[in-house]
Amino acid sequence: MRTPAEPNPPRVDVVLPCLDEARALPWVLERVPPGWRAIVVDNGSTDGSAEVARAAGATVVSEPRRGFGAACHAGLLASDADVVCFCDCDASLDPGLLTGFVTLLREGRADLVLGRRRPQGRGAWPWHARLGNLALARMLRRRTGLALRDLGPMRAARRADLLALGLTDRRSGYPLQMVVRGARAGWRIHEVDVPYRPRTGKSKVTGTWRGTAQAVHDMRAVLGEGAAAAGR
C-alpha cells in the first residue's frame, strides 16, 4: 500500500552517487535546496571526492561495491527522510529542480517523479546513449504501458515506498527496476522535463559505447524480470 501524501512539508534527502566527481561536487552541492540533506555516496573515488563533499557539509556514505545501483541503494538505506531524491553528481543536472518533484509528491499527484532529460548544448547527451535510452523506453512501454520518454537518473519518491519495492539490481538496471516494480505496484509515475547539461568529466557509462552496452544489457535483464512476473 502506498504512503499517503504528507500534510506538512516532508523531510527530504538527496542521494548523489559519486565516483571521481571532485570537480563537479561544489556546483552540485551548492544547488541542493536549503533544509534538504545531501547524501554523497562515494563509490570508490580516488580524486578526493569524499573530502570535497564533507568540506561542503554533505553527509558522506562509503559504498565499496562498484555499481550505480549499489551506490543509490546505499544512499537510500542511509536516509531517514520522508522523501528521497536521486540526482547525478556530475553537474549535468541541477538538484534545485527537485523542489518541483517533491511538490508533486506532497500534493498527492504522483508516487514517483522522473526527470526527462532535455539536452542543453553540444555534448550533453551522446547519440549512442540517447538511442539506447529510446530503445529501452519503447520496450518499457510495451511491457508496462507506461508512456515514458526517458529513463534518467533524476527522480523522487517517498522513502517507505521505495524500500517496499525490494530493489535488487546493483548496477545500471537500478533506475529501471524502480520504474518497473513501481508500475507493478500501481504507482502513479509522472515525467517532468529537466535541462541536461554537458557533464563535468567523462561519463563512466554513457561516455563510451562499452558502458552504454553494459547499461542496456542490465536494463534488458530488468525488463525480462518484469515480463516473467507479469506472466505468473
Side-chain angles (χ1 to χ4, degrees), residues 48-178:
S49 289
E51 290 73 18
V52 171
R54 288 192 186 95
T59 296
V60 177
V61 173
S62 177
E63 175 49 80
R65 294 174 298 169
R66 284 292 180 90
F68 182 77
C72 287
H73 204 69
L76 175 61
L77 295 178
S79 172
D80 61 0
D82 304 303
V83 170
V84 176
C85 302
F86 298 87
C87 185
D88 273 353
C89 180
D90 58 10
S92 62
L93 294 163
D94 183 348
L97 299 173
L98 287 164
T99 55
F101 290 38
V102 174
T103 295
L104 290 171
L105 296 173
R106 184 185 175 194
E107 293 177 351
R109 291 191 279 158
D111 302 298
L112 174 63
V113 185
L114 307 174
R116 181 197 180 193
R117 292 169 288 184
R118 307 293 282 175
Q120 307 292 306
R122 292 186 61 185
W125 198 356
W127 277 105
H128 59 272
R130 206 179 303 191
L131 290 172
N133 184 77
L134 180 61
L136 286 166
R138 287 175 175 170
M139 291 173 64
L140 178 68
R141 190 176 300 116
R142 288 198 299 267
R143 297 282 171 83
T144 67
L146 291 172
L148 299 178
R149 295 160 292 182
D150 190 13
L151 300 171
M154 194 175 199
R155 53 193 57 204
R158 297 179 188 86
R159 177 177 174 271
D161 293 346
L162 288 170
L163 291 173
L165 292 180
L167 300 173
T168 56
D169 191 282
R170 295 295 180 265
R171 297 202 307 185
S172 299
Y174 187 87
L176 179 59
Q177 189 178 57
M178 186 186 296

Side-chain angles (χ1 to χ4, degrees), residues 141-229:
R141 190 176 300 116
R142 288 198 299 267
R143 297 282 171 83
T144 67
L146 291 172
L148 299 178
R149 295 160 292 182
D150 190 13
L151 300 171
M154 194 175 199
R155 53 193 57 204
R158 297 179 188 86
R159 177 177 174 271
D161 293 346
L162 288 170
L163 291 173
L165 292 180
L167 300 173
T168 56
D169 191 282
R170 295 295 180 265
R171 297 202 307 185
S172 299
Y174 187 87
L176 179 59
Q177 189 178 57
M178 186 186 296
V179 173
V180 170
R181 293 194 176 184
R184 198 188 311 160
W187 286 16
R188 295 158 299 171
I189 301 176
H190 191 87
E191 199 171 47
V192 175
D193 285 358
V194 294
Y196 191 49
R197 299 156 32 94
R199 61 161 288 140
T200 299
K202 186 175 181 179
S203 172
K204 290 79 179 174
V205 179
T206 59
T208 66
W209 283 95
R210 181 178 180 180
T212 298
Q214 182 63 63
V216 170
H217 176 272
D218 292 346
M219 291 185 182
R220 285 176 66 94
V222 170
L223 286 173
E225 165 201 303

